[in-house]
Amino acid sequence: MLKSLRLTAFAALLLCLFFSDGWASGPEARSVADHHASADAENSRDNAAFFEFRELITAELLYQHLSVLAGDSLMGRGTGQQGIDMAADYLAYWLERYELTPKGDDGGWFQHFDLMANRTSEIRYELRQISDADTLLVWQDAASRFEPSSFFNEFGGEVDLAGRVVFAGLGFSDAEAGVNHLEGLEVRGNWVVLFRELHSDAEADTALVAAMMQQRASDLLFRQGARGLLLIGETDVEAFEAEAMRRSRLIGKPSGIRLPDRGGRSGFALGVKSVSPDMAVMLLGLNEASEVEALHREVSEDLTRNRSFTTDLHLSSRAIREEVVLPSRNVLAFIEGCHPELKQEVVVLSAHYDHMGIGQPDETGDMVYNGADDNGSGTVTTLAIAKAAQQAKAEGHCLDRSLLFLFVTAEEHGLLGSRYYSDNPVIPIEQTVANFNLDMFGRIDYEYEGTGKDYIYIIGAEIISGDLNRLLHQANAQTENLILDMRYNDLDDRNQFYRRSDHWNFGRLGVPFIFFFSGLHDNYHQPSDTVDRIAFELLEKRARLIFATLAEVANSPVRPVVDNQAFIERTQR
């Protein structure tokens, strides 16, 4: 029986379906040169016997765990959404099955803390006709969760918006092609009504249309200063109502997530909304849907013709919001080292287990952002390494230093879970020897696709600590012999990956880190980041390298020190 864990029934069902088994530095008195000389003079332990346990980390095990954590049933593990708690329970269940020691609050698996967020309960709409001094309310309605309206949000809509309604055809503008659907139109501060796309019967320069379509939203919103866009697309009333019902699921999704003592975003201060066929008739001052169809056909057939006009309608969109508390959990598991003194120090292996949750649908209508690579890959790798390390200890191969397996939440909202841990560590930061962070760890990126080369990007290590870099390469040479690609390992790299994941909350406190990363891809933060895209055989090799590097660092007679002055200066800014 599991005494320290209360599982949701749904999480327990998933388990049964998928499984049947089970400024911290070295001694202050020594210079960096003395430190390196001492490390070279001492004999490091032979880790070969420990390395053999990396065979327990298999592609099959990684797939089994990831198929649950990144499956649709966990709904994308969004912070403040239902799936995130199921994921935390799942991790705790298997950590207990793997016989690790819980290191959370009150002897449990979880480090509890609260996040703050804003939650929209309702969006209220009012459409008024304003003529001279007269104002007439012509329509009002509200959208709430599972109660849609004649508008639904595409983007934004989290703040109050109001403005006059103007019509801009397709919103295209290209001086060289003689196209300007905005001519004579006051865009700034107003709602701009647009047809979502070219009429299906129209013949036009495909490349020109694609180019104008790509830039029109940013041009209207950010350069022209529109209050928002109102898109006319669906002509079938029942189809619009079905899509509006699906989109209403997003109302109530928390936004502006933050730690209580830190600021957060107030919401996207612009709006992009779809309008129903009936609302399109009203906004354009027409009598029936067939007239909207005729207007759409007309502006699509001759792109040089400008049919823009200003209406006497004013639309207000008011979001009813409240500040809410989101109870949150990091998951912590521990393996105590066996050296009488060095076991007081710890190597932390971290991965964030949250992702984007339920969000805006993609072109296929999929609303579940599974996050298989980001960061299901790092999460299941950390879990598999924990299993292998605990089994090694159980069979008499105990490391000198202790290991902490840290699964953090709310990374996608500003590294919040790791920030909370680093401010409230269960083992003092000055006893934290190094952090290994795994994030977006399971794919093959543009650079290596089709090459057949086994690689991993390394960020940190040599730009922080020569010792840590040496131990990494030593482990790699003895085990997997991966290409350790350092192309992003530069404090001035434009991507700034060295501060863009949870390792930074250790680095800012002077803890040397290695960020293991497999690169960017087109499915980043999309519903298409799914399990079937993971390179499991390569993920296995990467996991085994990290397992070996943990041993090298945990058994090193002298802890790695931060010895790059440029990095020290960056962390002190």
Side-chain angles (χ1 to χ4, degrees), residues 459-517:
I459 300 164
E462 70 176 357
I463 64 168
I464 303 173
S465 169
D467 292 326
L468 194 56
N469 189 59
R470 173 178 55 81
L471 293 169
L472 166 66
H473 282 80
Q474 187 169 298
N476 189 45
Q478 295 178 76
T479 56
E480 304 304 313
N481 286 301
L482 300 182
I483 296 171
L484 304 182
D485 193 322
M486 303 284 181
R487 75 183 61 205
Y488 299 121
N489 201 24
D490 184 342
L491 296 176
D492 297 315
D493 178 72
R494 64 184 180 87
N495 296 287
Q496 293 288 283
F497 288 135
Y498 81 92
R499 61 168 78 229
R500 281 178 55 186
S501 187
D502 295 299
H503 51 271
W504 178 244
N505 278 320
F506 291 92
R508 70 185 176 89
L509 299 177
V511 176
F513 63 76
I514 304 175
F515 172 29
F516 295 90
F517 176 54

Side-chain angles (χ1 to χ4, degrees), residues 165-177:
V165 176
V166 301
F167 172 67
L170 287 159
F172 289 167
S173 181
D174 187 301
E176 291 185 5

Side-chain angles (χ1 to χ4, degrees), residues 12 129 228 267 399 487:
Q129 187 176 40
L399 300 176
R487 75 183 61 205

Side-chain angles (χ1 to χ4, degrees), residues 350-567:
S350 62
H352 75 89
Y353 70 93
D354 65 302
H355 191 54
M356 310 297 290
I358 303 294
Q360 295 289 347
D362 64 8
E363 64 277 4
T364 71
D366 191 355
M367 298 177 69
V368 179
Y369 288 65
N370 301 86
D373 190 35
D374 183 15
N375 182 37
S377 61
T379 300
V380 301
T381 297
T382 303
L383 186 59
I385 291 172
K387 174 186 180 181
Q390 177 60 32
Q391 186 65 35
K393 179 179 178 179
E395 295 188 26
H397 302 282
C398 184
L399 300 176
D400 287 345
R401 291 183 177 86
S402 299
L403 303 178
L404 178 68
F405 299 90
L406 175 63
F407 304 85
V408 295
T409 189
E411 187 271 353
E412 301 288 2
H413 298 276
L415 319 183
L416 301 183
S418 60
R419 177 67 188 229
Y420 184 84
Y421 174 84
S422 63
D423 287 344
N424 303 273
V426 297
I427 297 170
I429 288 296
E430 58 269 20
Q431 293 168 219
T432 303
V433 169
N435 169 235
F436 295 172
N437 186 48
L438 282 57
D439 192 356
M440 292 186 65
F441 186 66
R443 293 285 294 271
I444 300 173
D445 76 347
Y446 318 117
E447 297 292 336
Y448 283 93
E449 188 175 16
T451 67
K453 296 179 179 179
D454 294 338
Y455 78 100
I456 188 66
Y457 291 117
I458 301 298
I459 300 164
E462 70 176 357
I463 64 168
I464 303 173
S465 169
D467 292 326
L468 194 56
N469 189 59
R470 173 178 55 81
L471 293 169
L472 166 66
H473 282 80
Q474 187 169 298
N476 189 45
Q478 295 178 76
T479 56
E480 304 304 313
N481 286 301
L482 300 182
I483 296 171
L484 304 182
D485 193 322
M486 303 284 181
R487 75 183 61 205
Y488 299 121
N489 201 24
D490 184 342
L491 296 176
D492 297 315
D493 178 72
R494 64 184 180 87
N495 296 287
Q496 293 288 283
F497 288 135
Y498 81 92
R499 61 168 78 229
R500 281 178 55 186
S501 187
D502 295 299
H503 51 271
W504 178 244
N505 278 320
F506 291 92
R508 70 185 176 89
L509 299 177
V511 176
F513 63 76
I514 304 175
F515 172 29
F516 295 90
F517 176 54
S518 61
L520 297 174
H521 48 75
D522 292 339
N523 313 112
Y524 173 65
H525 283 190
Q526 297 296 320
S528 53
D529 180 8
T530 49
V531 175
D532 58 297
R533 300 179 187 273
I534 298 298
F536 282 100
E537 298 299 326
L538 182 51
L539 182 60
E540 174 188 285
K541 295 177 182 180
R542 292 165 176 167
R544 291 177 175 186
L545 167 63
I546 294 171
F547 180 81
T549 309
L550 276 177
E552 289 292 325
V553 175
N555 283 340
S556 175
V558 180
R559 63 187 288 174
V561 297
V562 176
D563 55 14
N564 184 337
Q565 187 59 36
F567 178 80

